[in-house]
Amino acid sequence: MTTDTLIAMTETPMHTRAADSHDVIRVRGAREHNLRDVDVDLPKRRLTVFTGVSGSGKSSLVFGTIAAESQRMINETYSAFVQGFMPSQARPDVDVLEGLTTAIIVDQERMGANSRSTVGTATDANTMLRILFSRIGDPSIGSPQAFSFNVASISGAGAVTIERGGQSTKERRSFSITGGMCPRCEGMGTVNDIDRSQLYDATKSLNQGALTIPGYTPDGWGVRIFTGSGFLDADKPIQDYTERELHDFLHKEPVKVKVGDINMTYEGLIPKVQKSFLSKDREAMQPHIRAFVDRAVTFTTCPACDGTRLSEGARSSRIAGRNIAELCAMQISDLATWTRALDEPSVRPLLTVLQETLDSFVAIGLGYLSLDRTTGTLSGGEAQRTKMIRHLGSSLTDVTYVFDEPTVGLHPHDIQRMNELLLRLRDKGNTVLVVEHKPETITIADHVVDLGPGAGTGGGQVTFQGSVDGLRASDTLTGRHFDDRAALNPALRRPTGVIEIRGADRHNLQGVDVDVPLGVLVVVTGVAGSGKSSLIHGSVTGRPGVVTVDQSPIRGSRRSNPATYTGLLEPIRKAFAKANGVKPALFSSNSAGACPNCNGAGVVFTDLGVMASVSTVCEVCEGRRFDASVLEYQLGERDISEVLAMSVTEAEAFFADGPARTPAAHVILARLADVGLGYLSLGQPLTTLSGGERQRLKLATQMADSGEVYILDEPTTGLHLADVENLLGLLDRLVDSGKSVIVIEHHQAVMAHADWIVDLGPGAGHDGGRLVFSGTPAELVADRSTLTGEHLARYIGS
């Protein structure tokens, strides 16, 4: 090759090179979940927003297809050994996926609810602080682990055998590890005291069912290990135990015993309860377990460490007059200011990285948090933004960032900052894909993909792709509602009473006094971190007659579906059993009626080791999950598999009249239709539902509770613009039926529709926690003295 040829090649215009032609992500024939052969071209290094009603297929396209395939292909670059430790992923159901780049997913999944996980440990800010104290803390007490509340101090000594030169010699060795864990509370920050009367009924014997702990039934292994251990008389009432028997029952150290023909480990009831119940974070417990723990256990701040989780040694070391516990308890915005004032050349690189991390918290609107805040207490929106921290300062380019409703939990004032962060990621040369419903974020998109036209089987198609202006002018559901603006509620209801809140001081609240009206729709608002949840959940939740629908996620396996979760399957099974003169268990795919080949799963899973498991439709039941003999029984000329394949709307009509009339089932179905889930099929696995669908399923279930006051925590999460109108109708029906409804919400349409608004602020963290307004929406707009008032006035065009 001559020099002239090389020069000619280097002078070739850049746009003619093959490498520069890959400027789109091409998707052809996507069929994941409800997608119907979707074809889209997504421009790279642009911000693309995916819109459409909840359940239209947005998450299936973005997360289930594009992001999933990107992560699967990256995982395949590792050795089989490494892949064995990673979650296996199946290839999405799609014909062509081209132009993929590395995908970084920032979703709304709650962060681990482990009691030992905090904001600081999840973002590595604690790690940097520990290194900082190990280097320049005074007095110096050891390595970074000496400041970790997850590392205990241990020491030991003994003889060790060393093989050297073909000979064995014994030497005495000793070791010690200095950890930062408080020895009294073992790094938990709290100590517990167990109320024995909640563990057992002392007047009964073990065989009579003395244990009142969830899951401890007389015929279960939890009780059998006590009755068969030989230490206790299973027929003697616990109140008649000798001192020795009572000690063995409650406090005995672990010891091997033989129960029947099985070797088991016996230990006292109290350590057993502590390990099985108290080692978990309360927020992660199932409701009935949480109720048991709440009545059986009293948690108090650890007197040794005063709740800091750290040992006395870790708390003795200081930098500029502060110890690590004090710094972790500070509001992050204040900690950022403290760090900026440090002038220590020996640790300048570490301080620079720590400063950037703390500044990212402030920039993303989380400056009101503290590093010692447990991750289990973060809302979905806070958890998502916390995950974003590690990406904001990244130097990576040509990465695909995937966000799931990043504006969840954000006040209109905060949404502008979130938009700026999304644009910053794009302008660094990255592809940003966002699933979103808020018009304020859709407006900044370079490209919009709208899916629909409906949800579930009525969706899964691309109804529009192009510019924001094109979407606004289109005849799609999103386009028609894009510029919707709610007017203030002209017919305000009159309160029937008030809930008095006096001196509320939970978390950042500063002695708030407010009267919350009853018999009306009350919206509690304010910027993120202003104290809304602290006020309502701390002062109203838990009162008699109060039903709370919070943001905690609903969990379910692939065997769980709307029928099982809502309790709908129970009356349906009984109706089938009564009509056919057989037992109800036959009509459960998890019980006697299950197909013997697939055990009621409908599919057969084949484990392929490090490769993703393959699922094939069961050849025996053809995916219907029931034994053939069960499908011979009918109700209203439908078998159980056909009923579970019905949509909520179909089933509501089916169980309303005629031979299949079942009032108990009809009531549950009507509630599901009320919250906009009429399109869901009764047997659809919960694992395939979107976040918005799961929250509305939870709302429909808890509406069955016989409460007088309903508290809803951001019910517009995951709702399309058109769905918000349906939600407002549901709230009106609740109030008109005589209920009181309190909504913690940022959506301006909900604020405008309210009868009364309670606004907290004026800022977040220690800059908030005060009542800045309480009155009607019209008074708030006229006043315009708060951030909420300004944004609401702008929204309604006042």
Side-chain angles (χ1 to χ4, degrees):
M1 186 177 292
T2 66
T3 304
D4 290 341
T5 304
L6 284 172
I7 293 173
M9 288 176 64
T10 57
E11 290 177 348
T12 302
M14 295 293 287
H15 66 271
T16 63
R17 295 189 181 181
D20 298 320
S21 63
H22 303 287
D23 55 358
V24 296
I25 297 174
R26 293 180 65 243
V27 181
R28 296 291 182 270
R31 292 176 293 276
E32 197 70 16
H33 297 147
N34 68 327
L35 297 179
R36 294 154 68 177
D37 285 310
V38 166
D39 298 341
V40 291
D41 288 335
L42 307 176
K44 288 186 180 178
R45 295 171 290 282
R46 297 292 184 271
L47 173 62
T48 300
V49 174
F50 294 80
T51 65
V53 297
S54 180
S56 60
K58 304 182 297 299
S59 295
S60 299
L61 176 59
V62 180
F63 293 94
T65 304
I66 298 171
E69 178 64 358
S70 172
Q71 293 206 319
R72 186 187 71 86
M73 296 183 76
I74 290 171
N75 289 355
E76 286 189 351
T77 64
Y78 300 110
S79 67
F81 174 77
V82 174
Q83 288 184 55
F85 296 96
M86 305 171 74
S88 59
Q89 294 172 309
R91 187 184 188 279
D93 190 1
V94 60
D95 293 334
V96 176
L97 268 176
E98 293 179 348
L100 292 180
T101 64
T102 302
I104 295 176
I105 298 174
V106 188
D107 58 19
Q108 288 185 49
E109 287 295 321
R110 293 296 183 95
M111 302 177 75
N114 190 299
S115 303
R116 298 187 180 278
S117 176
T118 65
V119 170
T121 60
T123 58
D124 294 335
N126 262 38
T127 302
M128 289 180 273
L129 274 178
R130 293 199 299 268
I131 297 173
L132 187 68
F133 271 83
S134 71
R135 299 298 183 267
I136 63 173
D138 183 29
S140 176
I141 64 167
S143 68
Q145 63 187 9
F147 299 93
S148 171
F149 55 75
N150 288 325
V151 179
S153 294
I154 57 174
S155 61
V160 296
T161 302
I162 300 175
E163 296 284 344
R164 185 182 295 132
Q167 293 184 334
S168 297
T169 59
K170 288 191 175 182
E171 295 182 8
R172 183 170 178 80
R173 296 285 177 88
S174 62
F175 74 94
S176 66
I177 296 174
T178 303
M181 178 186 291
C182 168
R184 172 75 172 84
C185 64
E186 297 184 348
M188 302 298 285
T190 58
V191 290
N192 57 68
D193 186 25
I194 297 179
D195 181 358
R196 295 184 188 178
S197 67
Q198 297 295 332
L199 303 184
Y200 56 83
D201 182 349
T203 64
K204 294 182 179 179
S205 68
L206 291 173
N207 281 339
Q208 291 174 323
L211 296 185
T212 55
I213 304 168
Y216 281 66
T217 55
D219 57 346
W221 278 107
V223 175
R224 285 175 65 184
I225 192 168
F226 286 101
T227 58
S229 66
F231 300 123
L232 308 169
D233 182 347
D235 294 315
K236 181 195 283 189
I238 294 175
Q239 64 186 8
D240 296 337
Y241 279 3
T242 64
E243 188 174 329
R244 178 56 183 247
E245 285 176 320
L246 193 61
H247 175 271
D248 288 346
F249 175 54
L250 294 175
H251 301 291
K252 191 172 183 65
E253 293 292 319
V255 60
K256 293 289 184 182
V257 296
K258 197 161 191 175
V259 180
D261 296 326
I262 302 174
N263 292 318
M264 303 186 75
T265 300
Y266 176 95
E267 65 178 331
L269 182 64
I270 287 180
K272 186 186 283 283
V273 167
Q274 288 175 326
K275 288 177 183 177
S276 57
F277 293 106
L278 305 187
S279 61
K280 300 176 184 176
D281 189 83
R282 181 185 175 279
E283 302 300 323
M285 295 176 181
Q286 294 179 318
H288 70 288
I289 301 294
R290 188 185 308 166
F292 162 72
V293 170
D294 286 345
R295 68 174 183 266
V297 184
T298 303
F299 292 94
T300 56
T301 301
C302 174
C305 67
D306 198 25
T308 64
R309 307 170 178 236
L310 292 164
S311 65
E312 186 177 356
R315 287 179 282 126
S316 69
S317 184
R318 294 180 176 270
I319 298 175
R322 301 269 191 173
N323 65 31
I324 191 170
E326 292 168 344
L327 295 181
C328 289
M330 289 172 68
Q331 187 165 300
I332 289 176
S333 58
D334 294 338
L335 179 57
T337 303
W338 181 88
T339 307
R340 197 173 285 110
L342 278 183
D343 183 19
E344 294 287 344
S346 62
V347 290
R348 184 165 290 128
L350 178 63
L351 283 174
T352 300
V353 177
L354 177 59
Q355 186 66 58
E356 288 173 353
T357 300
L358 298 176
D359 287 342
S360 294
F361 272 103
V362 178
I364 210 166
L366 293 178
Y368 60 89
L369 296 179
S370 60
L371 295 182
D372 63 2
R373 171 91 171 258
T374 54
T375 53
T377 64
L378 299 179
S379 69
E382 287 171 334
Q384 186 177 30
R385 284 181 284 155
T386 299
K387 294 176 194 174
M388 287 180 69
I389 297 296
R390 63 179 65 249
H391 305 305
L392 294 181
S394 173
S395 300
L396 292 173
T397 60
D398 268 327
V399 170
T400 299
Y401 286 95
V402 187
F403 293 95
D404 187 7
E405 290 191 66
T407 61
V408 165
L410 291 186
H411 187 273
H413 173 72
D414 298 315
I415 291 177
Q416 181 60 39
R417 276 198 294 188
M418 177 58 71
N419 288 346
E420 291 169 2
L421 293 171
L422 296 174
L423 293 173
R424 259 175 57 192
L425 286 174
R426 178 203 65 184
D427 293 344
K428 287 165 78 172
N430 299 304
T431 304
V432 181
L433 308 181
V434 182
V435 174
E436 189 53 83
H437 295 291
K438 296 280 178 63
E440 298 95 322
T441 298
I442 299 174
T443 302
I444 68 167
D446 302 305
H447 188 72
V448 180
V449 176
D450 189 41
L451 283 95
T457 55
Q461 302 177 66
V462 175
T463 56
F464 173 84
Q465 55 179 321
S467 66
V468 175
D469 289 337
L471 174 69
R472 186 179 267 115
S474 70
D475 192 36
T476 65
L477 193 63
T478 305
R480 291 196 299 271
H481 288 272
F482 193 81
D483 292 313
D484 280 2
R485 295 294 180 267
L488 294 179
N489 190 352
L492 299 180
R493 305 174 184 89
R494 297 181 64 85
T496 57
V498 295
I499 295 176
E500 291 186 359
I501 299 176
R502 295 292 181 267
D505 57 2
R506 188 182 188 189
H507 297 148
N508 67 324
L509 295 177
Q510 301 181 33
V512 172
D513 296 336
V514 64
D515 290 335
V516 180
L518 293 173
V520 297
L521 174 59
V522 178
V523 171
V524 181
T525 188
V527 297
S530 61
K532 305 179 298 297
S533 297
S534 298
L535 177 69
I536 299 304
H537 293 314
S539 301
V540 182
T541 298
R543 295 192 183 198
V546 174
V547 176
T548 302
V549 184
D550 59 20
Q551 292 186 22
S552 58
I554 64 172
R555 294 179 172 84
S557 67
R558 54 184 173 232
R559 288 181 176 273
S560 304
N561 53 52
T564 58
Y565 180 79
T566 60
L568 172 65
L569 191 58
E570 191 64 24
I572 291 177
R573 288 168 54 202
K574 288 180 178 178
F576 266 94
K578 184 177 180 181
N580 294 279
V582 292
K583 60 182 181 180
L586 282 176
F587 303 99
S588 169
S589 61
N590 295 326
S591 187
C595 166
N597 186 55
C598 63
N599 295 320
V603 292
V604 176
F605 294 92
T606 306
D607 184 7
L608 299 179
V610 299
M611 307 294 288
S613 298
V614 174
S615 61
T616 53
V617 176
C618 176
E619 295 177 354
V620 176
C621 67
E622 297 179 340
R624 287 180 289 191
R625 305 195 296 178
F626 290 89
D627 187 81
S629 61
V630 175
L631 300 181
E632 294 176 5
Y633 300 116
Q634 294 192 334
L635 175 68
E637 300 183 357
R638 300 286 186 98
D639 63 44
I640 185 67
S641 69
E642 291 173 326
V643 168
L644 291 177
M646 289 181 177
S647 69
V648 168
T649 303
E650 287 179 86
E652 186 182 9
F654 180 74
F655 288 107
D657 296 301
R661 183 176 181 273
T662 310
H666 186 263
V667 168
I668 298 173
L669 290 162
R671 285 199 299 268
L672 288 170
D674 268 349
V675 297
L677 293 177
Y679 60 88
L680 280 188
S681 63
L682 305 186
Q684 183 175 339
L686 288 189
T687 51
T688 65
L689 301 188
S690 68
E693 288 170 330
R694 288 188 179 209
Q695 187 175 32
R696 282 185 284 160
L697 187 63
K698 182 178 180 180
L699 175 60
T701 303
Q702 294 191 252
M703 279 170 55
D705 295 343
S706 55
E708 295 302 317
V709 179
Y710 283 81
I711 296 174
L712 309 181
D713 197 345
E714 296 194 54
T716 61
T717 299
L719 288 190
H720 185 266
L721 301 165
D723 294 326
V724 173
E725 193 174 324
N726 296 331
L727 174 70
L728 295 177
L730 171 63
L731 298 180
D732 279 341
R733 288 194 292 277
L734 275 174
V735 176
D736 292 340
S737 67
K739 308 294 184 184
S740 301
V741 179
I742 302 171
V743 182
I744 301 171
E745 189 55 79
H746 295 113
H747 203 294
Q748 294 103 316
V750 181
M751 295 182 206
H753 198 74
D755 299 302
W756 195 264
I757 289 183
V758 174
D759 192 15
L760 296 178
H766 59 49
D767 296 323
R770 295 188 289 273
L771 179 69
V772 293
F773 177 83
S774 180
T776 66
E779 291 169 344
L780 177 63
V781 169
D783 191 32
R784 290 204 190 196
S785 60
T786 71
L787 284 171
T788 304
E790 290 178 13
H791 284 277
L792 184 57
R794 199 175 304 140
Y795 176 80
I796 65 173
S798 175

